[in-house]
Amino acid sequence: MSDGGHLDDHLQQLAWRLHAIVGEDNVLENEPMSEHTTFKIGGPADLFVIPEDPDEVHDTIEACQEAAVPYFVLGRGSDLLVSDDGYRGVIVAVADGLTGVEVEDDEMSCQSGVNLREASEMACELGLTGLEFACGIPGSIGGACFMNAGAYDGCMADVLKSVRVLKKDGRQDTLDVDELDPGYRHSRIADEGMVVLSATFKLHHGDSEKIRARMDELTRRREEKQPLELPSAGSTFKRPEGHFAGKLITDAGLQGYQVGGAAVSKKHAGFVVNLGGATASDVHAVIEHVQDEVERQFGVRLEPEVRFLG
Ligand code: FAD
């Protein structure tokens, strides 16, 4: 659709329509996705749009649908591998604009762009317990609801009360947590292509010092075990039933396995890291080799947790 950095006529028309919806400054052209992913990898997106409220999200998506141009809803890019060729279509970057938070008693409502770490930090400061597990997850509230993110025996579904979504048909709805069909790294939001606009957490009053101590302990455990000093998208693979991905990869002798700038972390085999200058093709090559080798040695096919785009 775009050619050598120039938008074709159809995309240019859409860009003008999007200017009217979100303002010209919030529509970027040929935006490098490497700047919007924790992997620091990814070629340019034709259009990168930053809506600042739910109506702008709705109107942006409607404009893309009417123009029959593909779109992708981006959070903090912490679970994404974007191709080296980038994305032909519109990135709807909800995490940059929708960042409001409201607190009432023990309930906290966050717009979808709020960083999960910040939400966890805020809850701690307010003496609200429940979100400690999330203190080291660098995703947005929207991305975390989408895949029911979790860590250390906690997950989003444990603390969510409801989620405000934009459905594919353009209607907004509020879904209670039990209507989300949450599972391990899965929710109905993903199945039905809904967009998370905001989420309300049901927390409990607690002791800030105890909450802080738990968060500090989880942060220490992460720092000890995970290669947080290098760009990655967290755990590359889902936990296969009855196994741990990291242990299988270690036992297969793959720690340190490298293609170009991408490698299986020596610190935690469950992470593929960008050692510097890695391309998406490098990461793909590492992932495929790990899948094949683990399957050959142990008969288990690892399924990526990281999502691929472009
Ligand atoms: P993105 O990567 O931007 O997008 C991921 C998916 O969510 C995409 O399909 C996107 O379309 C969709 N999405 C994003 N926002 C919305 C929205 N508003 N509405 C609808 N769909 C949306 N994950 C864990 O579960 N547990 C961990 O402990 C954990 N640790 C991590 C540690 C590190 C160092 C890193 C880099 C990642 C880690 N992750 C972990 C992965 C990641 O942070 C989570 O999966 C997070 O939920 C992804 O959120 P995001 O906003 O970055 O989503």
Side-chain angles (χ1 to χ4, degrees), residues 36 38 72-80 94-95 112-113 116-117 133 136-152 185 189 194-197 222 226 228 232-235 271 305 307:
H36 302 279
T38 54
F72 180 83
V73 176
L74 177 73
R76 299 252 155 227
S78 64
D79 201 33
L80 270 192
V94 293
S112 60
L116 198 50
R117 277 176 174 164
F133 77 88
I137 305 180
S140 67
I141 296 290
C145 292
F146 175 90
M147 63 178 58
N148 190 20
Y152 302 110
R185 303 295 173 267
I189 296 166
M194 297 188 240
V195 182
V196 177
L197 298 172
R222 261 186 204 271
Q226 300 183 356
L228 301 180
S232 77
S235 298
F271 282 54
E305 176 174 324
R307 308 181 77 84

Side-chain angles (χ1 to χ4, degrees), residues 3-25:
D3 171 27
H6 296 289
L7 298 181
D8 69 21
D9 287 350
H10 190 59
L11 268 178
Q12 187 58 65
Q13 301 264 341
L14 177 60
W16 284 327
R17 188 163 167 204
L18 293 169
H19 290 176
I21 295 169
V22 299
E24 198 170 339
D25 289 349

Side-chain angles (χ1 to χ4, degrees), residues 61 65 165-173 175 188 192-195:
I61 289 176
Q65 287 170 338
V165 293
L166 176 65
K167 293 183 162 172
K168 271 230 146 132
D169 62 8
R171 282 185 305 119
Q172 289 188 25
D173 199 359
L175 301 176
R188 199 181 136 200
E192 296 181 23
M194 297 188 240
V195 182

Side-chain angles (χ1 to χ4, degrees), residues 77-94:
S78 64
D79 201 33
L80 270 192
L81 180 62
V82 182
S83 99
D84 299 316
D85 294 333
Y87 182 66
R88 303 288 71 80
V90 178
I91 298 288
V92 185
V94 293

Side-chain angles (χ1 to χ4, degrees), residues 55 113 161 230:
D55 287 340
K161 180 185 175 199
L230 289 169

